[in-house]
Structure formats: structure tokens, C-alpha cells
Amino acid sequence: MTESADKMSLGKALVAESIISQDQLNRVLAEQKATGGMLGEMLLEQGIVNGPVMLRVLAGQLGVPYCQLRHGLIDFSLLELIGEEEAERLKAIPMFQVHDTLTVAMAEPQSLPKIDRLRELTGCKIRPVLAPSSNILEFIKKYSSGNTDVDSFLASLSETDIEVVEKESIDEGPTTDLDRMVEGSPIISLVNMALLMAIRDGASDIHIEPEKNGTRIRYRIDGVLRDLMKPPTGLHASIVSRVKVTGKMDIAEKRLPQEGRVRLVAEGRQIDLRVSSMPTLLGEKVVVRILDKANLRIRMEDLGFRTETLAAFKRMLKKPHGLVLVTGPTGSGKTTTLYSALDLIRSPERNIVTVEDPVEYQLDLINQIQVHEGVGLTFARALRSILRQDPDVIMVGEIRDEETARVAVQAALTGHLVLATLHTNDAPGAVARLLDMGIEPYLLSSALNGAVAQRLVRTACPSCVTKYLPPANALRDAGLSNKPARIFRKGLGCQECHNSGFRGRAGIYAVMEVTTEIRRLVHQAAPTHEFREELRRQGVLALREEGVLLALDGKTSLEEVLVVTHNEDISEDLSRNETSKAEPREVA
């Protein structure tokens, strides 16, 4: 780890940001005079400052970006441009190239002679990025000339085998070892390694995308896509074929979309994959959905509900019949919330049946049906058949059309508890959506128990979390501008969180429990803003207000909450315009 040219400027910067005290700086400076060591390294060795914080401050002093190197950030073939020896001497490694500009991770990005040397070796403009010298040397060794061969490179990474289950049902036989990371199969090794890295990092999806000059493999962690690896040029068709074979898909069909599924064993646990291929202009794009039970939290107390909202949701579920809706955009965790609800109410005394597309996780004591529109098994048809199976509780994966909505409402009116998801921005919007589908207001008012709106917000990384004061515009948007100054928390970015500042996600929930007054508004088919006004009178918090409370607890940044609840804020603004309401409610 290098530091800025002026040692005192680094120390002063650390003191100015309250990262260290003046007494700590004076003590280390006295030791530095005696030993001749470097200030930054001494602060790190003594544990006074951690690596990510030091990296950020140094980058600020030098006026350059900074990063922690990891797999997926580096195109290892670019190392050949400067060679291993020169890379070690310069303490620099090329990361990626865009047109004639080469981004290079450097331990000394302020060194003009080293930048000139890199420019001379590569013939490119150099964009320096600060990285720890130990981090750079580690990756130079990994990606040195002896390891740039695809086979050798992948073999050096293969630590764990992947086993593919030949039959999808666990009851149909034991798992069999298929395509162990064998010698002479670089494509198999590459695909298996991508799966392993994604599973280890807790990714939800892998995207294999064609580009003009090769393939990009990205994975989604905490709702955000990140680069996983960039395979050598010319391997895209082989990679796609390997994934399609694993998913039991037709590798000869490249003109039409396909879907497949497979169950594999990785790191000692069973994981389901859903594979989808789509033809694009440059070739086939493949998305692999990873369904890892280790990441499934079905205890309702673990999802992020506040005590008040959780109590209201449980009251809705304890009713013997009626319709309970969970709303939100795609990827907001609605299915997980429904699984948690089923986990709460399932028992040997109840017949619980679900109809889903797809069935994401198998649950005990629950009969789960997979929609198959190709053979005519739609949500509505499955629902009608379920009603002849003497059910107590029915879960509908998604209400998409009038027919499904009508059967669900009728089921709720005839003595069944029906749980379902719906795509709306907030809980009151669920009423308008069902009315738009053609459900009569008098039927819906009798059937509806309540609705839950939710979003997933990224939580601050515990390894690099720090205190900060949000800007004035964020405080204003959060309804906190007239409140005493509050200290919030956010992550600075470190290797543990891929330099994002976030690790993991939590739910934000707003619950609309159907009271006598809410039921009257449903029966009258009242506009959505009247539902919101009534909920305000009852003291029920909106999604954004629930999120602000989460930020005040230090679990996420205020800006993250404002971004995630953006759509809800827009709908709130529209309703205020309709009703001539002046100011938003302040969060206590």
C-alpha cells in the first residue's frame, strides 16, 4: 500500500474525516520517525485504520478512483500487453480496455514515469485506478503468462466439484456425479466455475451475454448486476451449448426462446437452476436463475417486518377465509413473503394447495402445482381444479387476468383463505387493479382481508459501515428536513461487498388491513388517494416512511431507501395534487 507524496497530508485527511484522532496521529508519527516506516502501512498494521478506508482516503488525496481487485473485474488476457516482470516492477495490472483507453490498477497512480512506461508498452491512453499493492501482486501471479491458457487457468480455480442430479425428483434416485471438472474440458470447467462462484457469492441469477468481441458473464447480487468473468474470445457458442445441455434443452434450436431446469449439488447442498435462452442479434443470451434454499428465509420475523406491521399481517392470515394480497414490482420478494405466510399457517390439519409459475422452492405439508400453459394448465384452470380438492388454504403465484382474479375472489367468498400476488406500486393500488380487471366492488369488499406492499432494500455492509450525514435534498425527500440532525450509516465499499457498500437485503413493508372504513371505500370503488388518506388517518405508514425508519435504525442508507421507494413517492405526489394537499407527512 502506497501513500500520497506528502505524509502529513494523509494524516491530516484522516483526522479531518474523524477516522483517527490527533493523538493517534501524533503517536504513530513519533514511531514513524524512529523506525522510518511508511505512515499508511503503520496505521494499517496497528489496526487503527482498515484497508478500504485507507484506500478511499488515499484515492481522494490523489484524485483517482480506487478499487479492490477481484475475479470478474480483470480481463486477464490484457496482462500479455506488459508482461509479468514489468507488471511486478510497475506494481500495475491492466483491468479492461475501452477503445484506445486502458484502465490499469496501480499501487502508485500518481507516478508519471510509470504511467508513461505503461503508455509506451501498450500504445493506449492510460486511466489509472488505485489498488493495494498486495492485491495487485496477487492477481499478477494468478494471471501470469503461465496461467493464461484457459485449461490451466480454470484448473487452478477448481476447488469444489459440481454434481448434476439426473432426475429432478429427489425420490427418483440418488444424485449422480456428472461432468466432474475433468481434464481436457475447459468449457465444462468454465461453466461449473461460474456456477460455483455465483452460488458462493449468494447470486440470484447468472447472465451469459454475447458481445461483438466475445462473451460477458454477469451475476446479480442483492438486486444489482456485477461482472463475474469475461471468457476468451470465440467460446460463446460452446458456453451456451454447455448450459443448454445441463438444462436439458435443445442445443440445435437457436431461433426460438427455450426454458429448462436442472437440480445440482454444489458445496454439499442441493440447488435448483431455471435456465432461459433468448435469441439476440449477436447470438443467444442465457439467464440462469439460482434457487438456493440456503438463501431462503421463510421465518416471517427474519424478513424485516416492524412489530406493528407484522402484527397486522398476522391478523389477516389468522382469519378463516378471505383474500390476502402481496403487491410490488418484479423481484421485490413477494413469493418469499407468501412462502413465509404458508410456513406460519401450515399444519397437518390443513389442506394447503399452491399454483405457481414456477415452483421456486418445495415446502413440506404443502401441495404445489406448476403452471404449464403449453398443455392448457393455466392459473385459472388450476384454481378451478383445486376447489374440487377440498382445500383450506390456496396460494396463487400471481393474479394476471380477470379469469384468475374472479376465481380467486369466489374462492375467498366460499370459505377459503386465498393468498396471491399482484403487480401494483402500493397496497391501496391493489384494489384499483382488481376493479380494473372487472371484479365487482361489492364482491371485493366482502372478500378482501388486506394487502401488503413491499420492496427490497440493500443493507449496509457490516465490514465497511460508517456514519454519515445525508445531503439536504435527501433529508427533504425523506420528510426529515425540519427535524434535528440525525446520523445515518452507509457502507464505504470493500472486498467483502464487491466495493458496493451493501451486503444482503431486507424488506420494507406497508400493510393495509381492511377495517370497516376501508371496506366501505372498496364497496364504493373509491379512488386510490382516498384509501391513502384513510390509512394516514389510521396512522398507517406508507412504504417510504417505513423505509426511512429502517435507515434511521442504521440498517441501510437514506439514499437507498429513496431510490427503492421512488415509484411510491410519485404516486403519493399525484394523489396530493388531486386532493390539494400541501406537504408530506414528517417521519417521527
Side-chain angles (χ1 to χ4, degrees):
M1 171 72 69
T2 68
E3 56 183 303
S4 60
D6 181 1
K7 294 184 176 67
M8 287 303 298
S9 66
L10 172 61
K12 288 178 179 177
L14 292 169
V15 171
E17 294 193 30
S18 300
I19 296 169
I20 64 173
S21 67
Q22 187 64 47
D23 290 341
Q24 287 175 313
L25 175 61
N26 293 338
R27 179 173 57 79
V28 177
L29 283 174
E31 294 178 14
Q32 189 251 346
K33 285 182 181 178
T35 62
M38 300 183 72
L39 178 62
E41 291 180 357
M42 294 176 69
L43 290 169
L44 290 172
E45 288 171 1
Q46 296 181 26
I48 298 173
V49 181
N50 63 37
V53 172
M54 180 69 73
L55 198 66
R56 176 180 63 81
V57 174
L58 282 174
Q61 294 294 102
L62 298 172
V64 297
Y66 67 96
C67 75
Q68 284 275 355
L69 299 179
R70 60 178 176 80
H71 294 298
L73 282 179
I74 302 170
D75 183 352
F76 62 83
S77 64
L78 294 174
L79 185 58
E80 297 178 1
L81 294 175
I82 59 177
E84 180 186 0
E85 286 187 16
E86 198 72 0
E88 289 182 346
R89 187 183 72 80
L90 297 173
K91 291 185 179 177
I93 183 169
M95 296 174 65
F96 52 85
Q97 182 177 350
V98 179
H99 302 302
D100 61 345
T101 299
L102 184 67
T103 298
V104 183
M106 302 180 65
E108 297 177 284
Q110 79 280 17
S111 174
L112 293 179
K114 291 186 176 182
I115 291 177
D116 288 339
R117 178 59 177 158
L118 287 168
R119 190 182 297 118
E120 177 186 339
L121 288 169
T122 63
C124 298
K125 298 175 184 176
I126 302 300
R127 178 175 178 262
V129 173
L130 176 66
S133 58
S134 59
N135 201 204
I136 292 171
L137 294 174
E138 173 195 353
F139 276 82
I140 290 173
K141 288 295 184 185
K142 284 182 179 179
Y143 298 153
S144 60
S145 56
N147 287 331
T148 51
D149 174 71
V150 175
D151 291 357
S152 324
F153 173 68
L154 293 171
S156 70
L157 294 174
S158 56
E159 301 169 356
T160 306
D161 293 337
I162 284 185
E163 298 175 357
V164 178
V165 181
E166 287 185 336
K167 297 177 184 292
E168 286 202 63
S169 172
I170 300 174
D171 298 330
E172 290 184 7
T175 61
T176 56
D177 183 4
L178 180 65
D179 296 324
R180 201 175 284 270
M181 291 181 179
V182 294
E183 298 178 5
S185 297
I187 301 301
I188 292 174
S189 297
L190 188 150
V191 171
N192 286 350
M193 198 63 234
L195 289 171
L196 278 173
M197 291 171 69
I199 291 166
R200 287 172 181 170
D201 288 347
S204 60
D205 303 270
I206 302 174
H207 292 240
I208 302 170
E209 303 165 316
E211 294 185 327
K212 285 185 179 179
N213 299 317
T215 305
R216 168 184 284 184
I217 300 181
R218 299 187 289 172
Y219 59 172
R220 189 179 297 278
I221 298 178
D222 297 334
V224 178
L225 281 172
R226 310 181 192 282
D227 283 329
L228 174 60
M229 62 173 64
K230 192 171 178 63
T233 304
L235 297 183
H236 182 76
S238 300
I239 293 170
V240 169
S241 294
R242 173 59 195 163
V243 175
K244 290 170 74 174
V245 165
T246 303
K248 302 178 179 63
M249 300 156 69
D250 183 0
I251 63 172
E253 180 55 77
K254 301 179 180 180
R255 301 166 299 173
L256 297 173
Q258 293 188 68
E259 294 183 0
R261 54 194 299 178
V262 66
R263 175 170 297 155
L264 55 82
V265 175
E267 304 201 312
R269 62 183 188 271
Q270 288 193 339
I271 293 164
D272 288 332
L273 304 181
R274 301 289 185 268
V275 186
S276 171
S277 69
M278 177 75 70
T280 72
L281 186 64
L282 298 176
E284 284 186 282
K285 173 178 176 176
V286 174
V287 176
V288 181
R289 180 81 186 274
I290 301 172
L291 302 174
D292 186 354
K293 283 190 176 180
N295 297 330
L296 179 64
R297 293 179 296 179
I298 60 173
R299 282 188 72 253
M300 200 165 284
E301 289 76 11
D302 297 335
L303 297 182
F305 280 94
R306 288 193 309 111
T307 304
E308 295 84 351
T309 54
L310 181 58
F313 189 32
K314 285 184 175 180
R315 284 195 297 270
M316 291 153 48
L317 295 173
K318 286 181 180 178
K319 294 183 179 179
H321 54 80
L323 178 63
V324 178
L325 299 170
V326 179
T327 73
T330 300
S332 59
K334 299 186 297 296
T335 301
T336 301
T337 300
L338 286 183
Y339 281 162
S340 299
L342 293 177
D343 180 62
L344 180 71
I345 62 180
R346 63 179 170 173
S347 73
E349 291 80 26
R350 275 181 154 173
N351 177 22
I352 302 177
V353 187
T354 75
V355 52
E356 307 170 57
D357 184 21
V359 174
E360 295 192 1
Y361 298 99
Q362 292 181 345
L363 303 176
D364 295 333
L365 296 176
I366 295 175
N367 305 288
Q368 295 172 269
I369 300 172
Q370 168 77 49
V371 166
H372 195 331
E373 295 189 358
V375 298
L377 184 59
T378 61
F379 277 108
R381 184 168 181 177
L383 263 177
R384 285 194 296 270
S385 297
I386 289 170
L387 291 174
R388 303 187 190 102
Q389 292 279 315
D390 186 31
D392 298 300
V393 181
I394 302 170
M395 191 267 269
V396 184
E398 182 183 346
I399 294 179
R400 298 176 179 174
D401 51 50
E402 178 183 352
E403 187 180 9
T404 305
R406 193 167 293 281
V407 177
V409 169
Q410 290 292 342
L413 289 171
T414 53
H416 306 90
L417 182 62
V418 180
L419 314 180
T421 72
L422 201 61
H423 283 97
T424 63
N425 282 337
D426 59 4
V431 175
R433 180 62 54 85
L434 289 175
L435 293 178
D436 288 343
M437 286 183 177
I439 304 301
E440 291 80 1
Y442 72 92
L443 292 177
L444 185 58
S445 65
S446 299
L448 189 62
N449 288 353
V452 179
Q454 70 177 78
R455 299 289 190 277
L456 288 179
V457 63
R458 294 179 295 170
T459 51
C461 173
S463 300
C464 60
V465 67
T466 187
K467 296 178 181 178
Y468 84 109
L469 184 63
N473 62 328
L475 293 170
R476 184 193 66 240
D477 293 343
L480 297 171
S481 54
N482 297 326
K483 296 292 181 181
R486 312 271 186 112
I487 298 298
F488 290 81
R489 294 180 180 273
K490 69 176 181 179
L492 293 174
C494 63
Q495 196 164 7
E496 294 293 322
C497 61
H498 304 287
N499 300 308
S500 67
F502 298 98
R503 193 169 62 178
R505 289 193 288 181
I508 303 174
Y509 300 89
V511 177
M512 182 184 75
E513 189 176 7
V514 173
T515 60
T516 302
E517 185 59 29
I518 293 292
R519 198 175 302 280
R520 182 185 65 80
L521 292 175
V522 177
H523 192 275
Q524 294 175 352
T528 303
H529 68 82
E530 292 189 18
F531 286 90
R532 296 195 184 101
E533 291 169 8
E534 177 58 30
L535 291 174
R536 285 174 180 272
R537 282 193 289 271
Q538 295 178 10
V540 178
L541 298 184
L543 268 173
R544 171 158 289 188
E545 293 162 336
E546 291 279 357
V548 170
L549 291 180
L550 197 69
L552 286 169
D553 286 342
K555 295 179 181 176
T556 187
S557 68
L558 188 61
E559 291 85 349
E560 173 73 2
V561 168
L562 297 178
V563 169
V564 168
T565 58
H566 174 67
N567 287 339
E568 195 236 5
D569 182 54
I570 291 174
S571 59
E572 288 287 339
D573 289 341
L574 290 174
S575 71
R576 288 188 198 106
N577 291 337
E578 292 171 3
T579 57
S580 301
K581 298 293 181 183
E583 291 297 328
R585 182 165 47 159
E586 293 274 349
V587 176

